[in-house]
Amino acid sequence: MPSSTICWGIEIGAAAIKAVKLENAGDRVNVLDMAIIDHPKTLSTPGVDPADVLRVSLGTLVSQYDLSNAQIAVSVPGHSSFARFAKLPPVEPKKVPDIVKFEAMQQIPFPLEQVEWDYQTFLSPDSPEIEVGIFAITRERIMERLTMLQDVGLTPGFVTLGPISVFNALAYDLEFDEKTPGTIIVDIGTTSTDLVISEAGRMWVRTFPLGGHQFTDSLVSAFQIGYPKAEKLKQDAEDSKHARQVFQAMRPVFTDLGQDIQRSIGYYQSLHKDANLQRVILIGATSNLPGLRKYLKQQLGIEVYRVEEFKKANLNTLDAGQEGGERAGKFKARCLELTTAYGLAIQGLGAGTINANLMPVNIIREAMWKGKVKWFGAAAGIAAVAGAAMFVRPFLDQAAVQRASASPDLPQIRAVVSEGNRLKQEAEAAGVVGGAAPDERPTKLISLVTERDFYAHIVNDIGLMLEDAQQQAGGWAKSVGSASTATEGFRLEKMRTMFYPAGAAGADPSQQQQPTGAEAAPTRPLGPADRAQVVVEMQVSTHQPEPQKFILATLDKWLRGHPTRPNVPYEIHVAPTPWRQDANTGGTTTPSQTAPSPGTGGPGGPGGPGGGAIGTGGGSLETIAPLSALRGSTNEGQPTLFTITFTASKLPKQQAKPEGAQ
């Protein structure tokens, strides 16, 4: 797993990719590394394909810097996301999530199932009101960004809005609290400007479409020159012999910027009559424009500052083992551009004031499982060694006795062994011993360890099944003509598994003792008996109307539609009716004691022939608490309970599907 004490904050901007690597050092942070990868062309340049430019710059970043063994936090621009703010009515704390969800449905201009969203509540010590900030981005946009990152081997743990990262950077470095003077943060980017207000323990965001691109474009129009040349002219304006003409051409953009900032401040003050805004802090590369700071001070009547350094950042670690301190000097000189990346890394270290995360849950779950697979292997290896030690020890003791009995110096041992052999011969003659079957439990236990990767894939498949059902749950009630408001698909109540080594599925059921009732094992395998198999029985609950049709359209359909997949070591087998409806005893979720559906079991109830005893079939593994992370929220009323069963049968090596196979 990536370290939680080290994080790379990566801002993918329109002019460059800026990245900062921080390490948690208590009340400060160590700056371990930094990167500024300028794009070959600014993304706002006419005729440029942004996707192609970003792929080149991201490839440069991952090839030149070590991004492994650290958390990754990335931002999305304010203009491609949503930030909405509302005041909540007085409610109990436990009801806040429900009220926020209702507000999100009103504030976000898309159905909630089409966006990734999160929220943050703000409390003021002088007011009983609760304010909430709701932050969202469409799934299409975030998946486009994540796909581009995954193409270069990056899977972030945090995705948040650029304005939030800016706020986190300054709130951490300047130690914002309820008594901090009202602060207006103006981040002038390439294509847009984010205005963030921090005041009285709350924050507020507005983004408007004006940035460095508009300044450059004004020079293109005034001097009839190309975009790259105009960009260079803007950057060198102060030293140019045509400085007066350059600033005259950019004056209308200065005016528009000042007016947009004034309008934003006025709107905020109309919402918060007691607002006391005392300073403006400029960040972003465009903030370096000569005269901008003085102009805004005149227009706003408020003192204007620029970020010159990060007070809580230790820069000595940047040049550790080097002379001259060149990198620390470069970091300090470009603080204006690195503020967003700095704030991202602060959030990744868990020190952010606002921790809204727009990372899709299914991608987080997949990344977590990939990180845990190696730990499964290590644990299983330890178990195998410990198990082998138990079974090998008797053989070692027997060999030691045999060696000792052959020694002419130990007549007592030879006498004992001789007497033992005589008693054994008498017992065999009497029919007491000799006919017992060999104990195959050690072999089957070792097989359970060698097939341990089954369980990581099985739990991942269950997560995919429930995720698929959840995606269909939103429109299910409408599709069946019901007035139900249930939003949850299925809730996983319990899961039980039975492992069968290769050949065990054909064991003689008459030689077993069958468990019954709540202790019954899952049904016998449905797959080929010559392969290792895991039978999975899980109990789920749902509040959806027409629950039997719902399970047919979701879990049942998913199982039948995904028998084999690339890189999954088994194929799924299901009976004609792999599920049954259980009795709901007042909300208590226990395994049903009803008989299995036709084709899913055999004599002896749900366990069917072969459940329960390791010596005759497999080993049972019951899992309850670790699956709580897959559960969702609950609804009012009693749910409908189902038990669904399927078999995961190991694929022969020659049939295993390679990467990319269909």
Side-chain angles (χ1 to χ4, degrees):
M1 292 291 289
S3 171
S4 59
T5 61
I6 299 177
C7 181
W8 272 100
I10 303 174
E11 179 196 6
I12 304 174
I17 293 177
K18 282 87 73 176
V20 176
K21 184 179 183 181
L22 299 183
E23 178 185 38
N24 195 330
D27 59 347
R28 292 172 60 84
V29 290
N30 294 328
V31 182
L32 302 182
D33 207 347
M34 61 169 288
I36 298 180
I37 309 294
D38 293 317
H39 297 320
K41 290 186 178 180
T42 304
L43 300 188
S44 56
T45 304
V48 167
D49 184 344
D52 289 344
V53 174
L54 289 178
R55 287 191 182 94
V56 171
S57 297
L58 285 170
T60 303
L61 177 69
V62 299
S63 64
Q64 294 183 0
Y65 296 87
D66 181 10
L67 304 181
S68 62
N69 299 319
Q71 291 282 4
I72 302 290
V74 301
S75 64
V76 291
H79 64 80
S80 66
S81 50
F82 309 98
R84 302 290 187 267
F85 300 86
K87 293 182 179 180
L88 303 183
V91 293
E92 299 177 20
K94 65 180 181 180
K95 293 185 179 180
V96 168
D98 295 330
I99 298 296
V100 171
K101 185 174 183 180
F102 177 78
E103 286 291 341
M105 294 172 65
Q106 310 304 313
Q107 300 280 352
I108 298 175
F110 291 93
L112 290 189
E113 59 269 17
Q114 295 180 16
V115 300
E116 295 293 339
W117 67 284
D118 204 349
Y119 71 93
Q120 181 87 19
T121 55
F122 306 105
L123 299 174
S124 175
D126 302 326
S127 173
E129 292 182 331
I130 299 177
E131 294 191 43
V132 61
I134 300 171
F135 312 104
I137 186 172
T138 62
R139 286 185 177 168
E140 180 182 1
R141 282 182 173 175
I142 195 169
M143 291 309 300
E144 179 182 344
R145 178 56 54 89
L146 291 176
T147 299
M148 187 176 297
L149 290 169
Q150 289 172 343
D151 286 345
V152 295
L154 294 179
T155 300
F158 301 89
V159 175
T160 195
L161 277 61
I164 292 178
S165 304
V166 168
F167 173 80
N168 278 335
L170 297 186
Y172 174 81
D173 206 64
L174 301 179
E175 299 182 346
F176 285 0
D177 58 24
E178 293 82 1
K179 298 180 181 180
T180 300
T183 303
I184 305 165
I185 306 167
V186 180
D187 179 9
I188 308 175
T190 302
T191 58
S192 63
T193 295
D194 296 323
L195 184 141
V196 182
I197 295 179
S198 172
E199 188 248 349
R202 59 180 171 245
M203 66 92 70
W204 184 84
V205 174
R206 180 174 181 257
T207 300
F208 46 87
L210 192 155
H213 166 71
Q214 281 70 26
F215 286 98
T216 305
D217 200 46
S218 67
L219 298 180
V220 171
S221 300
F223 299 107
Q224 299 298 308
I225 56 178
Y227 194 92
K229 189 173 182 179
E231 181 70 23
K232 189 175 189 312
L233 181 61
K234 180 185 72 174
Q235 295 173 0
D236 301 335
E238 190 173 21
D239 300 324
S240 171
K241 62 181 180 179
H242 304 294
R244 182 179 177 184
Q245 293 89 333
V246 170
F247 285 109
Q248 188 67 31
M250 293 191 295
R251 180 175 292 277
V253 186
F254 275 88
T255 302
D256 291 342
L257 177 63
Q259 291 176 348
D260 273 328
I261 294 175
Q262 285 179 316
R263 278 193 292 266
S264 300
I265 294 173
Y267 180 69
Y268 176 83
Q269 290 175 326
S270 71
L271 297 176
H272 304 88
K273 305 296 184 182
D274 58 342
N276 182 20
L277 305 178
Q278 301 181 22
R279 60 180 176 176
V280 174
I281 298 178
L282 292 179
I283 65 169
T286 307
S287 299
N288 282 316
L289 273 176
L292 178 60
R293 180 176 167 186
K294 180 179 179 181
Y295 174 79
L296 290 179
K297 180 179 179 180
Q298 293 174 345
Q299 293 295 310
L300 304 177
I302 305 175
E303 194 63 42
V304 179
Y305 303 90
R306 282 192 307 206
V307 173
E308 303 293 343
E309 63 178 343
F310 296 121
K311 299 178 181 178
K312 298 180 70 173
N314 174 25
L315 302 183
N316 294 330
T317 49
L318 261 178
D319 293 298
Q322 302 180 20
E323 296 182 2
E326 294 182 1
R327 302 186 71 210
K330 180 180 178 182
F331 183 92
K332 197 171 181 179
R334 305 193 72 170
C335 279
L336 282 171
E337 302 171 62
L338 295 170
T339 305
T340 300
Y342 182 77
L344 284 167
I346 291 294
Q347 180 178 349
L349 295 178
T353 303
I354 297 179
N355 294 304
N357 188 2
L358 304 183
M359 191 70 181
V361 174
N362 60 321
I363 296 181
I364 293 177
R365 184 188 301 130
E366 181 181 345
M368 288 176 62
W369 273 113
K370 286 182 179 178
K372 290 180 179 179
V373 166
K374 61 182 180 182
W375 298 110
F376 290 154
I382 293 172
V385 171
M390 288 192 300
F391 298 116
V392 170
R393 186 65 196 180
F395 296 105
L396 295 177
D397 291 344
Q398 182 180 4
V401 171
Q402 291 176 346
R403 288 195 302 271
S405 64
S407 173
D409 299 327
L410 298 172
Q412 297 91 340
I413 292 180
R414 289 201 303 273
V416 171
V417 171
S418 178
E419 179 65 14
N421 290 333
R422 183 184 66 79
L423 293 174
K424 180 179 178 182
Q425 291 174 358
E426 292 180 357
E428 289 177 348
V432 176
V433 297
D439 187 352
E440 298 180 354
R441 285 179 296 176
T443 302
K444 293 175 180 177
L445 282 172
I446 292 174
S447 179
L448 177 62
V449 172
T450 60
E451 307 299 344
R452 61 186 178 272
D453 60 332
F454 265 45
Y455 289 94
H457 287 283
I458 285 171
V459 175
N460 186 57
D461 276 355
I462 290 173
L464 294 175
M465 292 166 59
L466 297 178
E467 180 77 18
D468 179 73
Q470 183 62 41
Q471 292 178 0
Q472 301 184 50
W476 177 256
K478 184 177 180 180
S479 69
V480 296
S482 171
S484 171
T485 59
T487 59
E488 184 183 22
F490 284 101
R491 177 177 179 176
L492 182 60
E493 303 291 351
K494 195 170 186 178
M495 183 181 91
R496 305 181 68 210
T497 62
M498 177 67 71
F499 174 78
Y500 293 88
D508 184 0
S510 65
Q511 301 299 320
Q512 309 178 62
Q513 181 178 356
Q514 295 298 326
T516 59
E519 298 300 322
T523 56
R524 296 279 301 164
L526 299 174
D530 60 344
R531 306 182 197 170
Q533 301 178 73
V534 175
V535 180
V536 182
E537 179 184 274
M538 60 182 191
Q539 187 178 65
V540 296
S541 63
T542 184
H543 290 84
Q544 291 291 334
E546 301 286 351
Q548 293 188 354
K549 291 182 180 179
F550 185 59
I551 196 172
L552 278 171
T554 55
L555 304 188
D556 187 292
K557 183 178 179 180
W558 193 96
L559 286 170
R560 299 183 190 281
H562 298 80
T564 58
R565 281 146 298 145
N567 298 325
V568 176
Y570 54 73
E571 58 182 333
I572 293 177
H573 301 272
V574 293
T577 306
W579 53 269
R580 65 173 185 270
Q581 185 171 337
D582 295 342
N584 191 330
T585 57
T588 303
T589 54
T590 57
S592 170
Q593 299 181 21
T594 59
S597 301
T600 63
I614 288 178
T616 55
S620 177
L621 174 65
E622 184 170 0
T623 310
I624 303 175
L627 297 172
S628 60
L630 298 177
R631 296 185 176 184
S633 60
T634 59
N635 299 83
E636 298 295 332
Q638 295 298 327
T640 303
L641 302 179
F642 292 97
T643 296
I644 187 164
T645 306
F646 63 92
T647 297
S649 177
K650 183 177 182 180
L651 284 169
K653 289 185 178 180
Q654 65 270 24
Q655 293 184 15
K657 288 192 173 186
E659 179 74 30
Q662 298 293 326

